[in-house]
Amino acid sequence: MADSDDYARGRRDGLRLALATLAAEEEKWAALLGESASWRTNATREVRHKTLQVAQKRVQTVLNRLMPRQEKAVSEEVAAALSRLGL
């Protein structure tokens, strides 16, 4: 049973890492929105930014579905993951 728990925890940690990566990329593209003189470049940046936002939402949904049902375990696990990420 411990291997199964470790595997599930690893999957959730991987999803959290993916969320952090997507958030960093989304922040980068948000800063570039509307900065170019070219309308085509600005449109491309808006599409990339929106794509990253949608990806974050989808990964968050998957993560929520994989979270344990126990409230206490969830809060402890989330707190530990956030502290490891330095957030």
Side-chain angles (χ1 to χ4, degrees), residues 10-68:
R11 287 180 68 190
R12 291 188 297 270
D13 287 346
L15 288 169
R16 287 186 190 100
L17 179 60
L19 274 175
T21 302
L22 287 169
E25 282 295 307
E26 190 250 338
E27 187 176 322
K28 178 180 86 172
W29 286 104
L32 296 174
L33 292 177
E35 292 293 317
S36 176
S38 168
W39 69 268
R40 186 170 291 149
T41 300
N42 286 331
T44 300
R45 288 176 178 173
E46 287 178 27
V47 168
R48 287 179 181 164
H49 181 251
K50 184 62 178 176
T51 301
L52 289 165
Q53 288 178 329
V54 170
Q56 284 183 74
K57 185 67 175 168
R58 289 182 179 176
V59 170
Q60 184 64 54
T61 298
V62 171
L63 180 61
N64 290 342
R65 288 180 183 163
L66 293 176
M67 294 297 286

